[in-house]
Amino acid sequence: MDDDQVRRLGKMRVRQTLAVKSDEYLLALLDDARACFLDLTHRSVDPGERIDSLIIRMAVVYSNQEGAEGNSKAEDGELKREWTDAFPSDINRQIKAWRLVVGMDAVHGA
């Protein structure tokens, strides 16, 4: 486990809804969120602590959508959830702000 994973795992542990989840589960969510961030931003290097909150929010979205893959709605009794994109618009805006032009990562030190 690297420093980024340890730091982000600690920050996820304080979220009441995730506190009961295993470290392995939370690390898998964080790894998926990090990989998605790198892919969507055309980066090859994790910017570290500067994106902790974004990576954690992405991981929380993954957790919230667990078991509803491929669906746009989920209903459990009176609880109803609906989504149109993988991430809410505020998270998409943050991801877009980090996006590099393809082929520019060597110039900007991704």
Side-chain angles (χ1 to χ4, degrees), residues 45-56:
V45 177
D46 183 330
E49 195 169 356
R50 298 179 298 159
I51 61 159
D52 280 0
S53 65
L54 177 57
I55 296 295
I56 290 166

